[in-house]
PDB file of all heavy atoms in Angstrom:
ATOM      1  N   ILE A 226      37.349  26.573  -4.928  1.00 97.00           N
ATOM      2  CA  ILE A 226      36.534  25.637  -4.171  1.00 97.00           C
ATOM      3  C   ILE A 226      37.455  24.807  -3.284  1.00 97.00           C
ATOM      4  O   ILE A 226      38.354  24.111  -3.776  1.00 97.00           O
ATOM      5  CB  ILE A 226      35.735  24.692  -5.098  1.00 97.00           C
ATOM      6  CG1 ILE A 226      34.958  25.492  -6.152  1.00 97.00           C
ATOM      7  CG2 ILE A 226      34.810  23.811  -4.277  1.00 97.00           C
ATOM      8  CD1 ILE A 226      33.907  26.396  -5.592  1.00 97.00           C
ATOM      9  N   TRP A 243      39.497  24.624 -15.311  1.00 97.00           N
ATOM     10  CA  TRP A 243      39.703  24.426 -13.878  1.00 97.00           C
ATOM     11  C   TRP A 243      40.917  23.532 -13.641  1.00 97.00           C
ATOM     12  O   TRP A 243      41.299  22.742 -14.505  1.00 97.00           O
ATOM     13  CB  TRP A 243      38.457  23.835 -13.212  1.00 97.00           C
ATOM     14  CG  TRP A 243      37.946  22.536 -13.803  1.00 97.00           C
ATOM     15  CD1 TRP A 243      36.986  22.397 -14.761  1.00 97.00           C
ATOM     16  CD2 TRP A 243      38.385  21.206 -13.485  1.00 97.00           C
ATOM     17  NE1 TRP A 243      36.787  21.073 -15.071  1.00 97.00           N
ATOM     18  CE2 TRP A 243      37.631  20.309 -14.284  1.00 97.00           C
ATOM     19  CE3 TRP A 243      39.319  20.682 -12.601  1.00 97.00           C
ATOM     20  CZ2 TRP A 243      37.803  18.928 -14.225  1.00 97.00           C
ATOM     21  CZ3 TRP A 243      39.490  19.301 -12.537  1.00 97.00           C
ATOM     22  CH2 TRP A 243      38.726  18.453 -13.346  1.00 97.00           C
ATOM     23  N   LEU A 262      34.927  17.072  -0.670  1.00 96.00           N
ATOM     24  CA  LEU A 262      34.410  16.888  -2.026  1.00 96.00           C
ATOM     25  C   LEU A 262      35.335  15.942  -2.775  1.00 96.00           C
ATOM     26  O   LEU A 262      36.548  15.926  -2.529  1.00 96.00           O
ATOM     27  CB  LEU A 262      34.362  18.229  -2.766  1.00 96.00           C
ATOM     28  CG  LEU A 262      33.211  19.179  -2.438  1.00 96.00           C
ATOM     29  CD1 LEU A 262      33.548  20.582  -2.928  1.00 96.00           C
ATOM     30  CD2 LEU A 262      31.910  18.696  -3.051  1.00 96.00           C
ATOM     31  N   PRO A 263      34.811  15.150  -3.689  1.00 96.00           N
ATOM     32  CA  PRO A 263      35.694  14.283  -4.475  1.00 96.00           C
ATOM     33  C   PRO A 263      36.568  15.116  -5.405  1.00 96.00           C
ATOM     34  O   PRO A 263      36.188  16.210  -5.820  1.00 96.00           O
ATOM     35  CB  PRO A 263      34.709  13.411  -5.260  1.00 96.00           C
ATOM     36  CG  PRO A 263      33.472  14.233  -5.371  1.00 96.00           C
ATOM     37  CD  PRO A 263      33.395  15.016  -4.085  1.00 96.00           C
ATOM     38  N   THR A 264      37.732  14.589  -5.723  1.00 96.00           N
ATOM     39  CA  THR A 264      38.591  15.256  -6.701  1.00 96.00           C
ATOM     40  C   THR A 264      37.904  15.219  -8.059  1.00 96.00           C
ATOM     41  O   THR A 264      37.568  14.139  -8.553  1.00 96.00           O
ATOM     42  CB  THR A 264      39.954  14.558  -6.785  1.00 96.00           C
ATOM     43  OG1 THR A 264      40.564  14.563  -5.496  1.00 96.00           O
ATOM     44  CG2 THR A 264      40.856  15.277  -7.775  1.00 96.00           C
ATOM     45  N   PRO A 265      37.629  16.363  -8.662  1.00 97.00           N
ATOM     46  CA  PRO A 265      36.871  16.372  -9.928  1.00 97.00           C
ATOM     47  C   PRO A 265      37.663  15.727 -11.057  1.00 97.00           C
ATOM     48  O   PRO A 265      38.894  15.720 -11.063  1.00 97.00           O
ATOM     49  CB  PRO A 265      36.640  17.859 -10.186  1.00 97.00           C
ATOM     50  CG  PRO A 265      37.747  18.543  -9.457  1.00 97.00           C
ATOM     51  CD  PRO A 265      38.023  17.706  -8.247  1.00 97.00           C
ATOM     52  N   SER A 266      36.928  15.208 -12.012  1.00 96.00           N
ATOM     53  CA  SER A 266      37.557  14.601 -13.185  1.00 96.00           C
ATOM     54  C   SER A 266      36.683  14.873 -14.400  1.00 96.00           C
ATOM     55  O   SER A 266      35.472  15.051 -14.274  1.00 96.00           O
ATOM     56  CB  SER A 266      37.745  13.094 -12.989  1.00 96.00           C
ATOM     57  OG  SER A 266      36.498  12.456 -12.806  1.00 96.00           O
ATOM     58  N   ILE A 296      27.554  27.447  -6.673  1.00 95.00           N
ATOM     59  CA  ILE A 296      28.978  27.120  -6.553  1.00 95.00           C
ATOM     60  C   ILE A 296      29.839  28.309  -6.950  1.00 95.00           C
ATOM     61  O   ILE A 296      30.851  28.600  -6.297  1.00 95.00           O
ATOM     62  CB  ILE A 296      29.314  25.886  -7.414  1.00 95.00           C
ATOM     63  CG1 ILE A 296      28.576  24.652  -6.872  1.00 95.00           C
ATOM     64  CG2 ILE A 296      30.816  25.628  -7.444  1.00 95.00           C
ATOM     65  CD1 ILE A 296      28.753  23.411  -7.707  1.00 95.00           C
ATOM     66  N   SER A 324      25.507  17.631  -1.553  1.00 96.00           N
ATOM     67  CA  SER A 324      26.750  16.858  -1.647  1.00 96.00           C
ATOM     68  C   SER A 324      27.619  17.301  -2.812  1.00 96.00           C
ATOM     69  O   SER A 324      28.822  17.055  -2.824  1.00 96.00           O
ATOM     70  CB  SER A 324      26.428  15.370  -1.771  1.00 96.00           C
ATOM     71  OG  SER A 324      25.834  15.072  -3.019  1.00 96.00           O
ATOM     72  N   LEU A 325      27.010  17.957  -3.813  1.00 96.00           N
ATOM     73  CA  LEU A 325      27.780  18.472  -4.941  1.00 96.00           C
ATOM     74  C   LEU A 325      28.383  19.850  -4.657  1.00 96.00           C
ATOM     75  O   LEU A 325      29.254  20.306  -5.392  1.00 96.00           O
ATOM     76  CB  LEU A 325      26.886  18.577  -6.183  1.00 96.00           C
ATOM     77  CG  LEU A 325      26.403  17.245  -6.770  1.00 96.00           C
ATOM     78  CD1 LEU A 325      25.320  17.495  -7.813  1.00 96.00           C
ATOM     79  CD2 LEU A 325      27.558  16.455  -7.369  1.00 96.00           C
ATOM     80  N   ILE A 326      27.915  20.496  -3.587  1.00 96.00           N
ATOM     81  CA  ILE A 326      28.387  21.845  -3.266  1.00 96.00           C
ATOM     82  C   ILE A 326      29.178  21.858  -1.962  1.00 96.00           C
ATOM     83  O   ILE A 326      30.306  22.336  -1.909  1.00 96.00           O
ATOM     84  CB  ILE A 326      27.206  22.827  -3.147  1.00 96.00           C
ATOM     85  CG1 ILE A 326      26.317  22.769  -4.381  1.00 96.00           C
ATOM     86  CG2 ILE A 326      27.705  24.248  -2.918  1.00 96.00           C
ATOM     87  CD1 ILE A 326      25.031  23.560  -4.238  1.00 96.00           C
ATOM     88  N   PRO A 328      29.430  19.032   1.020  1.00 96.00           N
ATOM     89  CA  PRO A 328      29.104  17.832   1.809  1.00 96.00           C
ATOM     90  C   PRO A 328      29.286  18.105   3.300  1.00 96.00           C
ATOM     91  O   PRO A 328      30.219  18.811   3.709  1.00 96.00           O
ATOM     92  CB  PRO A 328      30.116  16.794   1.311  1.00 96.00           C
ATOM     93  CG  PRO A 328      30.599  17.300   0.006  1.00 96.00           C
ATOM     94  CD  PRO A 328      30.531  18.789   0.065  1.00 96.00           C
ATOM     95  N   ALA A 442      29.711   8.365  -9.517  1.00 96.00           N
ATOM     96  CA  ALA A 442      29.646   9.357 -10.607  1.00 96.00           C
ATOM     97  C   ALA A 442      29.970  10.768 -10.150  1.00 96.00           C
ATOM     98  O   ALA A 442      30.150  11.657 -10.986  1.00 96.00           O
ATOM     99  CB  ALA A 442      28.251   9.341 -11.225  1.00 96.00           C
ATOM    100  N   ARG A 443      30.052  11.009  -8.840  1.00 96.00           N
ATOM    101  CA  ARG A 443      30.194  12.370  -8.320  1.00 96.00           C
ATOM    102  C   ARG A 443      31.432  13.079  -8.854  1.00 96.00           C
ATOM    103  O   ARG A 443      31.391  14.273  -9.168  1.00 96.00           O
ATOM    104  CB  ARG A 443      30.242  12.355  -6.792  1.00 96.00           C
ATOM    105  CG  ARG A 443      28.877  12.384  -6.128  1.00 96.00           C
ATOM    106  CD  ARG A 443      29.022  12.319  -4.638  1.00 96.00           C
ATOM    107  NE  ARG A 443      29.692  13.503  -4.121  1.00 96.00           N
ATOM    108  CZ  ARG A 443      30.228  13.576  -2.895  1.00 96.00           C
ATOM    109  NH1 ARG A 443      30.195  12.522  -2.106  1.00 96.00           N
ATOM    110  NH2 ARG A 443      30.794  14.685  -2.496  1.00 96.00           N
ATOM    111  N   SER A 444      32.541  12.374  -8.950  1.00 96.00           N
ATOM    112  CA  SER A 444      33.779  13.007  -9.400  1.00 96.00           C
ATOM    113  C   SER A 444      33.609  13.620 -10.798  1.00 96.00           C
ATOM    114  O   SER A 444      33.989  14.775 -11.040  1.00 96.00           O
ATOM    115  CB  SER A 444      34.919  11.983  -9.413  1.00 96.00           C
ATOM    116  OG  SER A 444      36.101  12.549  -9.913  1.00 96.00           O
ATOM    117  N   LYS A 445      32.992  12.863 -11.717  1.00 97.00           N
ATOM    118  CA  LYS A 445      32.782  13.376 -13.070  1.00 97.00           C
ATOM    119  C   LYS A 445      31.679  14.434 -13.103  1.00 97.00           C
ATOM    120  O   LYS A 445      31.747  15.380 -13.897  1.00 97.00           O
ATOM    121  CB  LYS A 445      32.453  12.225 -14.012  1.00 97.00           C
ATOM    122  CG  LYS A 445      33.630  11.284 -14.261  1.00 97.00           C
ATOM    123  CD  LYS A 445      33.282  10.221 -15.276  1.00 97.00           C
ATOM    124  CE  LYS A 445      34.490   9.332 -15.546  1.00 97.00           C
ATOM    125  NZ  LYS A 445      34.202   8.287 -16.551  1.00 97.00           N
ATOM    126  N   LEU A 446      30.667  14.287 -12.248  1.00 97.00           N
ATOM    127  CA  LEU A 446      29.625  15.309 -12.187  1.00 97.00           C
ATOM    128  C   LEU A 446      30.199  16.631 -11.693  1.00 97.00           C
ATOM    129  O   LEU A 446      29.831  17.705 -12.196  1.00 97.00           O
ATOM    130  CB  LEU A 446      28.483  14.846 -11.276  1.00 97.00           C
ATOM    131  CG  LEU A 446      27.653  13.660 -11.775  1.00 97.00           C
ATOM    132  CD1 LEU A 446      26.629  13.245 -10.720  1.00 97.00           C
ATOM    133  CD2 LEU A 446      26.954  14.000 -13.085  1.00 97.00           C
ATOM    134  N   GLN A 447      31.114  16.556 -10.701  1.00 97.00           N
ATOM    135  CA  GLN A 447      31.775  17.776 -10.241  1.00 97.00           C
ATOM    136  C   GLN A 447      32.524  18.431 -11.391  1.00 97.00           C
ATOM    137  O   GLN A 447      32.457  19.644 -11.591  1.00 97.00           O
ATOM    138  CB  GLN A 447      32.771  17.445  -9.122  1.00 97.00           C
ATOM    139  CG  GLN A 447      32.168  16.899  -7.856  1.00 97.00           C
ATOM    140  CD  GLN A 447      31.491  17.925  -6.987  1.00 97.00           C
ATOM    141  OE1 GLN A 447      30.729  17.601  -6.102  1.00 97.00           O
ATOM    142  NE2 GLN A 447      31.754  19.189  -7.239  1.00 97.00           N
ATOM    143  N   GLY A 448      33.239  17.612 -12.159  1.00 97.00           N
ATOM    144  CA  GLY A 448      33.979  18.155 -13.297  1.00 97.00           C
ATOM    145  C   GLY A 448      33.066  18.815 -14.309  1.00 97.00           C
ATOM    146  O   GLY A 448      33.403  19.869 -14.877  1.00 97.00           O
ATOM    147  N   ALA A 449      31.894  18.214 -14.558  1.00 97.00           N
ATOM    148  CA  ALA A 449      30.944  18.796 -15.511  1.00 97.00           C
ATOM    149  C   ALA A 449      30.416  20.147 -15.021  1.00 97.00           C
ATOM    150  O   ALA A 449      30.260  21.097 -15.808  1.00 97.00           O
ATOM    151  CB  ALA A 449      29.787  17.827 -15.740  1.00 97.00           C
ATOM    152  N   ILE A 450      30.132  20.249 -13.717  1.00 97.00           N
ATOM    153  CA  ILE A 450      29.651  21.517 -13.165  1.00 97.00           C
ATOM    154  C   ILE A 450      30.739  22.580 -13.263  1.00 97.00           C
ATOM    155  O   ILE A 450      30.484  23.730 -13.632  1.00 97.00           O
ATOM    156  CB  ILE A 450      29.197  21.332 -11.707  1.00 97.00           C
ATOM    157  CG1 ILE A 450      27.998  20.367 -11.630  1.00 97.00           C
ATOM    158  CG2 ILE A 450      28.822  22.667 -11.087  1.00 97.00           C
ATOM    159  CD1 ILE A 450      27.608  19.986 -10.217  1.00 97.00           C
ATOM    160  N   TYR A 451      31.979  22.205 -12.966  1.00 97.00           N
ATOM    161  CA  TYR A 451      33.080  23.170 -13.035  1.00 97.00           C
ATOM    162  C   TYR A 451      33.335  23.595 -14.485  1.00 97.00           C
ATOM    163  O   TYR A 451      33.689  24.751 -14.740  1.00 97.00           O
ATOM    164  CB  TYR A 451      34.348  22.578 -12.420  1.00 97.00           C
ATOM    165  CG  TYR A 451      34.215  22.235 -10.943  1.00 97.00           C
ATOM    166  CD1 TYR A 451      35.112  21.380 -10.316  1.00 97.00           C
ATOM    167  CD2 TYR A 451      33.191  22.779 -10.176  1.00 97.00           C
ATOM    168  CE1 TYR A 451      34.992  21.068  -8.974  1.00 97.00           C
ATOM    169  CE2 TYR A 451      33.055  22.465  -8.836  1.00 97.00           C
ATOM    170  CZ  TYR A 451      33.966  21.605  -8.239  1.00 97.00           C
ATOM    171  OH  TYR A 451      33.847  21.295  -6.907  1.00 97.00           O
ATOM    172  N   ASP A 452      33.161  22.674 -15.427  1.00 97.00           N
ATOM    173  CA  ASP A 452      33.258  23.040 -16.845  1.00 97.00           C
ATOM    174  C   ASP A 452      32.205  24.088 -17.201  1.00 97.00           C
ATOM    175  O   ASP A 452      32.486  25.057 -17.925  1.00 97.00           O
ATOM    176  CB  ASP A 452      33.066  21.803 -17.732  1.00 97.00           C
ATOM    177  CG  ASP A 452      34.273  20.880 -17.737  1.00 97.00           C
ATOM    178  OD1 ASP A 452      35.386  21.358 -17.443  1.00 97.00           O
ATOM    179  OD2 ASP A 452      34.102  19.681 -18.028  1.00 97.00           O
TER     180      ASP A 452
END
Side-chain angles (χ1 to χ4, degrees):
I226 309 296
W243 56 266
L262 282 163
T264 302
S266 61
I296 295 176
S324 69
L325 293 169
I326 308 172
R443 274 178 65 196
S444 177
K445 291 184 178 181
L446 293 176
Q447 296 284 164
I450 297 172
Y451 298 163
D452 286 337

